[in-house]
């Protein structure tokens, strides 16, 4: 069983998908619709069980979750609503991963092996993979995870900021922001 996973990105004004999020949505929907067409033409099984969209409300002015926004966009662009699973609570990348594994387990049970293919950008993929491989709070058992890292046209200053976040995420992937490093020794109970 395999799912395409679209990782959220902060919404633009009026709860609309940002250009970065639209790139992810276009890529995932094209892959899904192409596979659907091939499966129908060849009378074979669709390689994807569905699409998982993940992302909550990440900005105080948002009134719509990233997942709901993505779901609406996908339905508007030809994806059947029943083929979309939504994770509405995640506020950052690590929560995306934790919540989608929980969602799949709750919906389909623990016994079935699941392949997750995350559609994201080249500047985001290293952080996603790092969180998947190194997080202590993520239960990876029964999952295979890979990313489709799309190139992006981010301005240099934004790309440098993203690369800094990726570098800091290697320090401790379970930190909420990835930018806060606590060097104090933990208190022993």
């Amino acid at each position: 069983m395999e799912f395409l996973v679209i990782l959220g990105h902060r919404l633009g004004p009026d709860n609309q998908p940002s250009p970065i999020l639209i790139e992810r949505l276009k890529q995932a929907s094209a892959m899904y619709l192409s596979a659907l067409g091939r499966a129908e033409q060849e009378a074979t099984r669709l390689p994807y069980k569905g699409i998982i969209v993940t992302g909550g409300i990440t900005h105080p002015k948002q009134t719509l979750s990233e997942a709901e926004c993505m779901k609406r966009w996908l339905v508007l662009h030809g994806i059947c609503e029943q083929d979309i699973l939504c994770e509405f609570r995640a506020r950052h990348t690590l929560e995306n991963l934790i919540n989608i594994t929980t969602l799949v387990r709750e919906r389909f049970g623990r016994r079935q092996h699941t392949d997750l293919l995350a559609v994201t950008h080249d500047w985001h993929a290293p952080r996603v993979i790092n969180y998947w491989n190194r997080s202590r709070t993520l239960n990876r058992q029964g999952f295979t995870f890979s990313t489709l890292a799309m190139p992006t046209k981010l301005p240099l200053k934004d790309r440098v900021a993203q690369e800094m976040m990726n570098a800091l995420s290697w320090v401790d992937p379970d930190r909420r922001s990835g930018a806060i490093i606590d060097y104090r020794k933990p208190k022993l109970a």
Side-chain angles (χ1 to χ4, degrees), residues 56-182:
I57 294 177
T58 58
H59 190 271
K61 293 184 179 180
Q62 265 180 253
T63 57
L64 187 68
S65 72
E66 293 171 3
E68 183 62 33
C69 177
M70 289 188 279
K71 179 181 176 181
R72 291 178 183 183
W73 190 97
L74 289 169
V75 169
L76 194 66
H77 289 85
I79 305 293
C80 184
E81 189 171 349
Q82 293 88 325
D83 293 345
I84 304 168
L85 291 174
C86 294
E87 185 290 303
F88 299 105
R89 298 182 320 250
R91 296 166 295 166
H92 52 80
T93 304
L94 181 57
E95 283 184 359
N96 289 145
L97 299 175
I98 291 168
N99 294 351
I100 61 173
T101 55
T102 302
L103 175 70
V104 170
R105 280 194 183 97
E106 288 172 355
R107 184 69 65 92
F108 299 100
R110 295 181 179 271
R111 294 194 179 134
Q112 192 152 2
H113 182 82
T114 304
D115 296 318
L116 302 173
L117 175 59
V119 177
T120 191
H121 285 87
D122 54 2
W123 51 265
H124 190 228
R127 185 170 1 141
V128 175
I129 292 166
N130 178 53
Y131 285 165
W132 182 264
N133 290 332
R134 297 193 52 204
S135 172
R136 295 180 302 272
T137 58
L138 178 62
N139 182 355
R140 294 174 293 278
Q141 188 175 4
F143 290 92
T144 302
F145 184 80
S146 56
T147 60
L148 172 69
M150 303 180 316
T152 188
K153 299 174 184 89
L154 272 179
L156 181 61
K157 68 178 180 66
D158 295 335
R159 190 169 179 95
V160 168
Q162 288 299 329
E163 294 298 334
M164 290 295 293
M165 285 297 292
N166 289 339
L168 289 170
S169 75
W170 286 95
V171 176
D172 185 357
D174 291 307
R175 290 279 182 198
R176 283 188 186 247
S177 72
I180 300 171
I181 304 169
D182 188 352

Side-chain angles (χ1 to χ4, degrees), residues 13-79:
D14 301 325
N15 294 309
Q16 295 301 309
S18 67
I20 287 174
L21 189 52
I22 289 173
E23 286 180 355
R24 294 178 190 178
L25 290 164
K26 284 180 177 178
Q27 179 67 42
S29 63
M31 290 172 63
Y32 194 79
L33 292 171
S34 175
L36 183 62
R38 281 193 314 275
E40 288 174 355
Q41 188 176 25
E42 299 167 6
T44 59
R45 196 172 67 86
L46 183 66
Y48 305 115
K49 182 77 173 166
I51 297 175
I52 300 174
V53 291
T54 177
I57 294 177
T58 58
H59 190 271
K61 293 184 179 180
Q62 265 180 253
T63 57
L64 187 68
S65 72
E66 293 171 3
E68 183 62 33
C69 177
M70 289 188 279
K71 179 181 176 181
R72 291 178 183 183
W73 190 97
L74 289 169
V75 169
L76 194 66
H77 289 85
I79 305 293

